[in-house]
Amino acid sequence: MSTHVVSDTRTLLGRSLRHILRSPDTIITTAITPIAMLLLFVYVFGAAIDSGDGTYVNYLLPGILLITVASGIAYTSYRLFLDLQGGIFERFLSMPIARSAALWGHVLTSLVANAISVVLVVLVALLMGFRSGAGILAWLGVAGILVLFTLALTWLAVIAGLAAKSPDGAGGFAYPIIFLPFVSSAFVPTEGMPGPVRWFAQNQPVTSIVDTLRGLLTEQAVGDDAWVALAWCVGLLVLAHALAMRAYRRRFA
């Protein structure tokens, strides 16, 4: 491995971030769309939804944050696919740069871009009335879970980007992930859902992650949800990373 892996990765990270800044479609989808959903659900549907104690924006925000991340990683796969099709990886690997830098540049770009989008969504939520009495440790817990969730989905995006045969295939894998929060506790409590739907909603990963984030932000006990959420995030991250690196080595062996 090159001793310049950090500087090489930083250079390629800057390259990918500049591509994002030059892509209005990426900015609209990853930042503007989640904010529009937040506005829509709070101001149009919020009054008709019984979310229990507290304001609906407080209830809704954790789910919107997960949708923000899920929307963002579709572009990670898409950008990786375009680089592969354009021969950029072969060119980078023929140069005296760290072999892993080309891939890590995309992974860190996903992490940075999604972090910026999440912060923007939280700022808008604050303007809409979101309030939290959570302390610094609770906020660090929220940030840590979101980072793990982002990395797990990003490595899934790497697999999709390496395996895709078309641009639509590279970005399309994210749609089921974006849909998952709609069948969870992200928008409404799961208790009112019909039997099979309720079972699925209560046992899929998004619900435990959303409930953990909501509990941390509202200073409520998170109980076993935190361990279940961590198990989902770490398990998915380890598995996706292993499969992605295997696919990467096979392609550029």
Side-chain angles (χ1 to χ4, degrees):
M1 178 181 292
S2 169
T3 56
H4 302 296
V5 60
V6 174
S7 60
D8 292 343
T9 301
R10 185 171 61 243
T11 299
L12 295 177
L13 166 65
R15 167 184 174 271
S16 293
L17 289 176
R18 285 192 294 274
H19 286 177
I20 292 177
L21 292 176
R22 296 167 185 165
S23 171
D25 178 65
T26 303
I27 295 173
I28 290 172
T29 302
T30 60
I32 305 302
T33 299
I35 290 172
M37 291 182 64
L38 183 65
L39 294 167
L40 174 69
F41 275 89
V42 170
Y43 291 133
V44 178
F45 303 126
I49 297 175
D50 181 10
S51 58
D53 297 334
T55 62
Y56 186 59
V57 66
N58 277 26
Y59 182 90
L60 180 65
L61 182 61
I64 293 295
L65 295 181
L66 296 197
I67 288 179
T68 303
V69 174
S71 301
I73 55 98
Y75 283 91
T76 300
S77 176
Y78 179 70
R79 288 191 298 271
L80 178 60
F81 173 80
L82 291 183
D83 274 358
L84 290 167
Q85 293 301 304
I88 298 298
F89 269 72
E90 284 81 357
R91 179 173 175 79
F92 285 157
L93 295 178
S94 70
M95 299 168 66
I97 64 175
R99 190 176 183 83
S100 61
L103 192 57
W104 274 103
H106 282 282
V107 173
L108 294 182
T109 297
S110 172
L111 197 60
V112 172
N114 278 298
I116 293 172
S117 296
V118 164
V119 169
L120 289 175
V121 171
V122 172
L123 290 176
V124 172
L126 287 170
L127 292 175
M128 295 170 63
F130 169 76
R131 296 293 181 268
S132 171
I136 183 67
L137 289 178
W139 277 104
L140 288 175
V142 169
I145 290 173
L146 287 175
V147 167
L148 285 174
F149 183 72
T150 303
L151 285 174
L153 294 194
T154 296
W155 282 108
L156 281 180
V158 169
I159 297 172
L162 289 169
K165 303 299 182 185
S166 68
D168 290 340
F173 90 99
Y175 288 116
I177 300 175
I178 295 172
F179 181 74
L180 276 181
F182 291 95
V183 192
S184 73
S185 64
F187 293 91
V188 295
T190 58
E191 287 75 13
M193 299 178 183
V197 178
R198 182 174 65 250
W199 182 89
F200 177 79
Q202 292 177 339
N203 292 281
Q204 60 123 320
V206 169
T207 292
S208 60
I209 297 171
V210 163
D211 289 347
T212 300
L213 296 178
R214 189 177 291 134
L216 290 171
L217 292 173
T218 57
E219 303 172 274
Q220 302 294 318
V222 294
D224 292 337
D225 283 329
W227 297 111
V228 175
L230 284 173
W232 274 112
C233 290
V234 174
L236 186 59
L237 171 58
V238 171
L239 179 62
H241 177 265
L243 293 176
M245 294 306 297
R246 181 182 178 186
Y248 185 65
R249 285 192 294 267
R250 281 188 172 181
R251 182 149 187 167
F252 296 104

